[in-house]
Amino acid sequence: MPERTSVRLNHVERGAGTPVLALHGWGPDHRLVLGCLEPVFADRTGYRRLYPDLPGMGKTPAPASFSSSDDLLAAVRDFVDDTIGDVPFLLVGESYGGYLARALTRSRPGQVLGLALICPVGTKLEHAERTVPEHQVLRPDPALLDSLDDRLAELVRDNVVVHTPETVRRFREEILTGVDLADAEAISRIRLRWELTEDPEGGAPFDRPTLVLTGRQDGAVGYLDQFALLPHYPRATFAAVDVAGHNLQIDQPGLFNALMWNWLDRVTAES
């Protein structure tokens, strides 16, 4: 059995029933995935949602011994052992969290009932190697941006495709608050060894219900590199959503919810 890590992940839990583990992306904390998933489960009972902070992010520390993505993945595996055990569970990963989720699926294919990836890192881990479009603001609101402080206005302009008071609120509360908590030294150290030792798609194809959500205006991870993942996930629904950037769940919440509900229905039908 692999040696346990020295870190326990801070986490928030909601509901009861089939476990749903949700992993946020690089820099923010659990509030990103909590904010986008809780509306999905608002009218669905029977799910125990688990939202951990990854090491170095949110309220989970990353000791000096943590220096790679392998260390983060090991901490997530320990979290599964401690909070879920050997019970089958659903797995959701956003951005970099999708990279870890795919690796976790490889190591526990019989335990993962279904996999949902939200704007995940695709086949190219490093940004310079990715095929990405330019970020575009397709629904601007200049007056709204003028009402914000300079830092928030710039971040919204660079990260949100649809500018409304609601998208600004969600970006500030679900994403920016977590980014401001991140341990800059720790994530810089881990970032130097970002690539996992084992390729997440290096094992057998994952043949359970999968969802891959991407944004056509996502200037961070794009949508073409994720399409190349599909042979490994033969049961995947793939969506490249227009008027959506890297925060697709904020730009297009209605479509996001509908596609997530469809994924849950597919998982339920096979469970």
Side-chain angles (χ1 to χ4, degrees):
M1 178 178 292
E3 183 177 348
R4 286 185 56 88
T5 65
S6 60
V7 172
R8 288 187 176 274
L9 304 187
N10 173 69
H11 75 284
V12 170
E13 184 172 331
R14 297 283 188 273
T18 301
V20 181
L21 174 61
L23 304 178
H24 63 80
W26 188 257
D29 65 10
H30 73 274
R31 283 172 286 191
L32 189 155
V33 280
L34 184 147
C36 67
L37 291 183
E38 283 306 291
V40 171
F41 291 100
D43 296 322
R44 292 188 177 231
T45 60
Y47 294 96
R48 177 193 176 207
R49 288 90 67 194
L50 298 162
Y51 302 104
D53 290 336
L54 295 174
M57 292 161 258
K59 295 183 179 179
T60 298
S65 60
F66 270 56
S67 60
S68 69
S69 287
D70 287 329
D71 293 326
L72 268 63
L73 179 59
V76 171
R77 286 172 174 157
D78 287 348
F79 179 80
V80 172
D81 290 338
D82 293 341
T83 61
I84 298 176
D86 58 2
V87 175
F89 66 97
L90 283 74
L91 184 55
V92 181
E94 184 271 341
S95 192
Y96 172 81
Y99 183 51
L100 296 182
R102 286 155 44 203
L104 186 61
T105 299
R106 172 180 174 170
S107 65
R108 302 181 183 228
Q111 192 176 1
V112 177
L113 294 171
L115 174 67
L117 303 173
I118 305 165
C119 298
V121 172
T123 53
K124 304 297 184 182
L125 188 60
E126 295 297 337
H127 191 276
E129 299 176 352
R130 298 172 187 169
T131 305
V132 299
E134 290 188 10
H135 173 75
Q136 292 179 277
V137 177
L138 295 181
R139 305 278 170 82
D141 187 337
L144 175 62
L145 289 192
D146 287 344
S147 72
L148 307 176
D149 65 73
D150 290 345
R151 179 188 180 227
L152 180 57
E154 181 179 3
L155 289 170
V156 168
R157 186 182 298 111
D158 292 345
N159 293 280
V160 183
V161 170
V162 178
H163 293 175
T164 68
E166 177 63 6
T167 60
V168 170
R169 180 194 68 79
R170 291 190 63 185
F171 179 80
R172 182 180 60 246
E173 295 179 4
E174 298 173 16
I175 299 173
L176 189 55
T177 50
V179 170
D180 288 341
L181 281 180
D183 181 338
E185 190 281 327
I187 62 176
S188 295
R189 180 179 68 246
I190 296 166
R191 181 66 177 79
L192 295 175
R193 297 172 62 194
W194 224 26
E195 186 173 359
L196 291 165
T197 300
E198 290 188 341
D199 177 5
E201 282 71 49
F206 180 68
D207 61 357
R208 289 182 173 175
T210 302
L211 175 64
V212 183
L213 295 178
T214 65
R216 288 300 298 264
Q217 288 76 41
D218 187 338
V221 301
Y223 60 91
L224 290 172
D225 294 338
Q226 293 80 357
F227 188 79
L229 296 172
L230 293 188
H232 190 77
Y233 302 96
R235 299 292 312 285
T237 291
F238 178 89
V241 179
D242 188 32
V243 195
H246 193 53
N247 299 299
L248 180 153
Q249 75 280 3
I250 292 177
D251 290 321
Q252 295 292 333
L255 186 53
F256 173 82
N257 290 349
L259 290 166
M260 290 295 295
W261 288 329
N262 174 265
W263 172 67
L264 289 173
D265 288 343
R266 289 190 289 130
V267 173
T268 299
E270 301 207 359
S271 299

